[in-house]
Amino acid sequence: RHSVPQWSFNDAFTEDEVAQLREREGALRRHGLEVDLLSGQETRRLEPRLSNDVLAALRGPMAQLDSYRLTLAFAQGAERHGATVLLREVTGLEHAGGRVTGLRFASGGLACDRVVIAMGVWSGAAASWLDFPLAITPLKGQNLRLRYRGGPLRYLMGGVARGHLFQRKDGMV
């Protein structure tokens, strides 16, 4: 089992990005967070695997969200409060008197008083069920999980204008 980093870096490769980090540092400090703007040399001393092109980095406390476990925790909490969790693909909504009265599934339906549309980037598909547009614009992104030789990363690393590189508890990066 690998330990999860306690600190994160947001690194900068251009002077414009360094200026953005300075602004972010001020905003975070105003909100009471302890952050440090490090030079490229200080950053590489803490994490020698970083590029020599890094001009600066903002170091601060790190938090990591496991969206799968969070979703399970929400479902378990809802069940503890009397909800029944069903794993079904909703294919439409039932309407009566200008209100949603139920859900449609391929295998039947379910009457309900309220509906929460929580389909992430696919929420726009519900617009045809509601008869009004939903302004949902997905953001493009990729996720590459890999295992590499060497010790675990000591920091979550992200760029001002680039993605993130971080160690998961299972050792994957």
Side-chain angles (χ1 to χ4, degrees), residues 122-144:
W122 298 276
S123 294
S128 64
W129 308 341
L130 298 169
D131 296 326
F132 61 84
L134 294 175
I136 305 294
T137 306
L139 296 175
K140 184 178 181 342
Q142 289 83 28
N143 184 359
L144 174 66

Side-chain angles (χ1 to χ4, degrees), residues 43-160:
T43 304
R44 282 185 295 283
R45 185 178 48 77
L46 293 170
E47 181 48 75
R49 293 174 278 193
L50 289 175
S51 167
N52 288 330
D53 295 334
V54 171
L55 300 178
L58 186 62
R59 181 178 70 162
M62 209 281 295
Q64 192 176 84
L65 173 70
D66 183 328
S67 56
Y68 175 75
R69 291 178 66 186
L70 178 65
T71 302
L72 288 179
F74 281 148
Q76 291 167 347
E79 287 175 328
R80 280 195 300 276
H81 287 86
T84 301
V85 176
L86 300 174
L87 300 177
R88 306 280 188 278
E89 180 180 350
V90 176
T91 59
L93 300 176
E94 297 292 334
H95 301 265
R99 296 183 49 89
V100 173
T101 59
L103 304 172
R104 282 192 300 245
F105 313 115
S107 61
L110 177 69
C112 62
D113 296 324
R114 293 177 183 87
V115 172
V116 175
I117 306 295
M119 299 163 34
V121 298
W122 298 276
S123 294
S128 64
W129 308 341
L130 298 169
D131 296 326
F132 61 84
L134 294 175
I136 305 294
T137 306
L139 296 175
K140 184 178 181 342
Q142 289 83 28
N143 184 359
L144 174 66
R145 293 176 51 99
L146 55 97
R147 201 174 297 279
Y148 71 99
R149 292 189 187 124
L153 296 173
R154 295 178 29 216
Y155 297 89
L156 176 141
M157 290 179 261
V160 171

